[in-house]
Amino acid sequence: MNRLKQLRTEAEESQEFVGNLIGVSGQAVGQYEMNKRGLSEEKLIVLANHYNCSIDYLLGKSNIRNPEEIKIDTDKIKIGLSAKDYENITDEQKKQIEDFAKFVLKDNLKNKDTK
């Protein structure tokens, strides 16, 4: 959990301060930072919100600190569909295509980040 230490020191916060934030002692924060204890999901959420980063970043699973919502050009979503095909689908189906495209692009960013 060296990311926790990195984020804490960047913010110039003590272990005691972070401990108060998540309801544990400063000593417990030290144990989190040395990977001697694991953080609960609730504590991870509080810390990720506090440091404005993703939980994956906090856990060291991603090097993308602040993933931004991907904006999709709707023309790019139409790949594989003719204009006629795209006009004949429902708004819900269009939304599903857009959501899937966003998922694929986010996954692609995550994979690029870990290489």
Side-chain angles (χ1 to χ4, degrees):
M1 188 65 60
N2 57 4
R3 286 267 170 85
L4 175 57
K5 183 174 184 177
Q6 172 196 340
L7 292 166
R8 180 182 61 76
T9 54
E10 282 177 11
E12 299 179 355
E13 297 171 344
S14 67
Q15 289 178 336
E16 290 76 22
F17 176 85
V18 174
N20 287 332
L21 185 69
I22 59 174
V24 298
S25 68
Q27 184 179 12
V29 172
Q31 291 177 341
Y32 296 140
E33 291 177 351
M34 294 185 297
N35 292 321
K36 292 185 177 183
R37 287 178 70 173
L39 284 159
S40 69
E41 183 178 338
E42 294 81 17
K43 288 177 177 43
L44 285 168
I45 291 169
V46 170
L47 290 169
N49 286 331
H50 177 70
Y51 292 117
N52 191 29
C53 67
S54 70
I55 291 175
D56 281 347
Y57 181 82
L58 189 58
L59 292 174
K61 293 182 179 183
S62 171
N63 291 324
I64 300 174
R65 187 171 183 161
N66 299 313
E68 297 178 14
E69 185 174 335
I70 298 172
K71 302 293 180 197
I72 306 257
D73 182 351
T74 55
D75 290 336
K76 293 179 182 175
I77 296 172
K78 297 176 188 175
I79 295 171
L81 297 174
S82 70
K84 182 180 176 185
D85 289 338
Y86 197 75
E87 290 171 2
N88 292 328
I89 63 176
T90 67
D91 287 341
E92 178 62 27
Q93 290 168 325
K94 288 177 187 177
K95 175 144 178 34
Q96 288 173 341
I97 292 168
E98 182 178 351
D99 290 346
F100 180 71
K102 286 179 181 179
F103 169 78
V104 169
L105 291 174
K106 283 182 183 178
D107 191 52
N108 188 38
L109 281 176
K110 198 182 296 185
N111 289 337
K112 280 184 184 178
D113 188 50
T114 59
K115 288 182 181 179

